[in-house]
Amino acid sequence: MSEIAIRVEGLGKRYTLGEREPYRALRDVIAAVPRALLGRRGAAKAAEPFWALKDVSFEVRRGEVVGVIGRNGAGKSTLLKVLSRITRPTEGRARIHGRVGSLLEVGTGFHPELTGRENIFLNGAILGMRRQEIQRKFDEIVDFAEVERFLDTPVKHYSSGMYTRLAFAVAAHLEPEILLVDEVLAVGDAAFQKKCLGKMGEVAKEGRTVLFVSHNMAAVENLCVSALLLSGGRLTEIGPVRQVISAYLKIASGQDTVPLVDRVDRKGNGKLKMVALAVYGENFASLPACGGPVTLEISYEGSLPLRNVHISAGFYTAFGEGCLYVSNDLTGDALNDLPEQGKLICRFDKLGLMPGTYTVNLYCTINGVLADWVQNAADVTVEAADYYGTGKLPPKGYGYSVADHRWTVWAS
């Protein structure tokens, strides 16, 4: 069996703005008749090509859980529709090795006139499963979806929440080898979303391949090992999930190319201006490491006098969760009579941050008055290291910090 579950080579999908793709459904043929007879008001606009995907190539290995992220209109949903064979690519090709289950929008693959029970068997048959296999999973699906009372009601009478619960339950429980999920968790209450994320975590641990499209960066980070970043229909980044999320957030915030000294989205009276930030390990050339000595160096320019200066740096995850705060106000280190230009140095003997990429916010006051405040001043990547001397770190999903601790036994 191939180790590659999905191979995409030079994939492109072009649409023509103002025109509809041809469909074979009878309702669309009938609907086209009155339009042809009555005509359209105004002159026809010239056809304008639009590439929803262009020259996209990547591979996903069997058992990988990969996030697909990007802004609205980046091509994420189009990619999954091509992989699901809902739409044909204009160029390139995508090879899928394994049975595919997809949940691309609420109720995908459901027949509105059929009951919930009938749609479970219909979806199983579409996935190529035998009736006995579907029956074996039937009770689990119904319990997860919490729609037992309405199981023999046509799904056209279901609410969007009921539709989603049943659709997700079918897609996740009928054991496709490859699962494609597109932002369906945006529908439903918080309890259901948590339940779905837990189930997707189980699916991932079972060794099935998952492509997960979402704008929920916390969910992407917790579920996925790697990620793809799409922008304008092109694949612009592929790699470890935190690295790709960091690249996406830079693009989203527009701060990916602006040096700190040139940032204009800052607050304060400007009496002191922070112009550069460097965070490094044992020597200037090395990255900070979990458990290693680290130096935070803030270069500044100011106007005298610079007395009673209080400065702080906050480390945040890509999702805005605060995980470390340092300040001379906490340590009682006085910063008085600073020169007009210089560097403010903060040293850590042993950095207690987990490996990953963090955003640093900088904040400075002089005599209690805000002088400079810059959010997302820089990204800092913390490397993995042997913090405890055992070669182990906490598992993923258990916070962003590590701390020295010891275990002992007392006789009762």
Side-chain angles (χ1 to χ4, degrees), residues 21 24 67 76 80 84 86 91 98 116 153 210 216 232 252 259 277 282 291-292 294-295 309 354 358 373 376 398 408:
E21 279 203 337
R24 294 193 178 94
K76 306 183 299 297
L80 262 60
S84 301
I86 291 174
E91 61 185 23
T153 300
V210 181
N216 184 336
L277 172 65
E282 289 190 82
V294 172
T295 300
V309 175
M354 285 280 283
Y358 301 88
W373 180 17
N376 304 322
Y398 283 82
T408 58

Side-chain angles (χ1 to χ4, degrees), residues 201-245:
E202 292 177 21
V203 168
K205 290 176 183 176
E206 291 169 3
R208 286 186 266 168
T209 307
V210 181
L211 243 60
F212 177 45
V213 169
S214 181
H215 288 284
N216 184 336
M217 294 298 106
V220 172
E221 187 194 29
N222 287 332
L223 288 172
C224 305
V225 175
S226 58
L228 313 173
L229 174 59
L230 292 174
S231 179
R234 294 181 180 272
L235 181 61
T236 59
E237 186 99 14
I238 181 170
V241 64
R242 286 189 173 182
Q243 172 187 315
V244 177
I245 288 174

Side-chain angles (χ1 to χ4, degrees), residues 109-307:
F110 278 13
H111 193 297
E113 299 296 337
L114 299 181
T115 66
R117 184 189 304 275
E118 291 165 338
N119 270 296
I120 292 173
F121 283 92
L122 172 64
N123 270 255
I126 291 171
L127 288 174
M129 300 185 71
R130 297 174 181 235
R131 185 175 182 84
Q132 292 84 351
E133 292 180 85
I134 303 170
Q135 287 175 329
R136 181 167 51 86
K137 288 285 183 179
F138 187 86
D139 289 342
E140 290 182 43
I141 293 171
V142 175
D143 289 344
F144 185 93
E146 300 174 2
V147 295
E148 183 175 7
R149 182 181 173 190
F150 307 97
L151 199 56
D152 294 307
T153 300
V155 297
K156 67 180 180 180
H157 299 303
Y158 283 16
S159 68
S160 60
M162 292 165 61
Y163 234 124
T164 304
R165 289 201 299 271
L166 185 58
F168 184 90
V170 170
H173 285 80
L174 289 183
E175 299 183 351
E177 294 161 297
I178 300 169
L179 181 61
L180 308 178
V181 182
D182 184 5
E183 201 59 272
V184 295
L185 304 186
V187 181
D189 57 31
F192 169 68
Q193 291 180 26
K194 185 176 181 180
K195 191 174 181 180
C196 287
L197 289 172
K199 182 59 184 177
M200 287 184 64
E202 292 177 21
V203 168
K205 290 176 183 176
E206 291 169 3
R208 286 186 266 168
T209 307
V210 181
L211 243 60
F212 177 45
V213 169
S214 181
H215 288 284
N216 184 336
M217 294 298 106
V220 172
E221 187 194 29
N222 287 332
L223 288 172
C224 305
V225 175
S226 58
L228 313 173
L229 174 59
L230 292 174
S231 179
R234 294 181 180 272
L235 181 61
T236 59
E237 186 99 14
I238 181 170
V241 64
R242 286 189 173 182
Q243 172 187 315
V244 177
I245 288 174
S246 177
Y248 166 66
L249 293 175
K250 282 184 180 179
I251 294 171
S253 65
Q255 307 301 344
D256 51 324
T257 59
V258 182
L260 180 57
V261 67
D262 296 327
R263 291 278 295 276
V264 295
D265 58 330
R266 58 207 312 152
K267 296 179 181 179
N269 59 20
K271 188 171 176 60
L272 183 149
K273 179 181 179 181
M274 295 171 283
V275 297
L277 172 65
V279 184
Y280 49 88
E282 289 190 82
N283 57 73
F284 190 80
S286 67
L287 288 172
C290 174
V294 172
T295 300
L296 184 149
E297 183 180 287
I298 302 169
S299 300
Y300 72 89
E301 298 172 351
S303 55
L304 299 177
L306 295 174
R307 299 191 185 97

